[in-house]
């Protein structure tokens, strides 16, 4: 969205630059805007956002992605809590099944 907004805002300046007779003079006066426009255009092309999507469609997609993120985060928290409970149960079972060292030493001593 940031790149699309920058692209839209600076497109008129870039068009004037392309049509100007003295490009060097125009470039000196608007160098930062032209650099920002070209960087935004490169990023949009790299992201495959050509033709440029509408702001509304990007906002809708962002809202959908945020909703999906919240749903997955809730699912993750539930799974994490369940995993912690299973870990506690495993530790309890391991503790119950483990033969204490004192009993093991007594058993060895009795066998000798």
């Amino acid at each position: 969205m940031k790149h699309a907004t920058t692209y839209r805002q600076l497109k008129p300046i870039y068009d004037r630059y392309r049509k100007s007779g003295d490009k060097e003079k125009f470039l000196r006066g608007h160098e930062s805007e032209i650099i920002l426009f070209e960087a935004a255009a490169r990023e949009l092309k790299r992201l495959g956002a050509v033709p440029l999507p509408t702001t509304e469609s990007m906002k809708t997609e962002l809202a959908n992605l945020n909703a999906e993120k919240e749903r997955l985060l809730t699912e993750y928290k539930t799974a994490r809590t369940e995993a912690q409970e299973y870990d506690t149960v495993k530790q309890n079972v391991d503790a119950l099944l483990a033969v204490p060292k004192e009993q093991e030493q007594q058993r060895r001593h009795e066998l000798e």
Side-chain angles (χ1 to χ4, degrees), residues 4 21 30 34 39 42 49 55 57 59 61 63 67 75 81 83 87-88 91 98 100 103 111-112:
H30 300 281
I34 292 170
R42 273 193 309 274
T55 304
S57 67
K59 286 181 181 178
E61 184 177 353
E75 188 177 316
T81 302
D87 189 44
T88 302
Q91 288 175 359
Q103 287 180 355
L111 291 175
E112 292 176 352

Side-chain angles (χ1 to χ4, degrees), residues 27-42:
L27 182 61
R28 282 182 294 218
H30 300 281
E31 186 173 7
S32 63
E33 290 95 345
I34 292 170
I35 290 171
L36 286 173
F37 173 82
E38 290 174 344
R42 273 193 309 274

Side-chain angles (χ1 to χ4, degrees), residues 50-107:
V50 178
L52 195 60
T54 65
T55 304
E56 292 304 316
S57 67
M58 287 190 293
K59 286 181 181 178
T60 303
E61 184 177 353
L62 184 60
N64 291 340
L65 290 172
N66 282 331
E68 178 75 4
K69 176 184 170 185
E70 289 300 319
R71 183 187 68 75
L72 291 173
L73 189 59
T74 303
E75 188 177 316
Y76 167 74
K77 287 179 181 178
T78 303
R80 185 178 62 191
T81 302
E82 191 174 308
Q84 288 173 341
E85 290 173 3
Y86 287 142
D87 189 44
T88 302
V89 169
K90 181 186 177 303
Q91 288 175 359
N92 290 341
V93 168
D94 288 346
L96 289 172
L97 293 178
V99 178
K101 289 183 180 181
E102 293 175 4
Q103 287 180 355
E104 182 67 29
Q105 287 175 352
Q106 283 179 348
R107 185 178 284 161

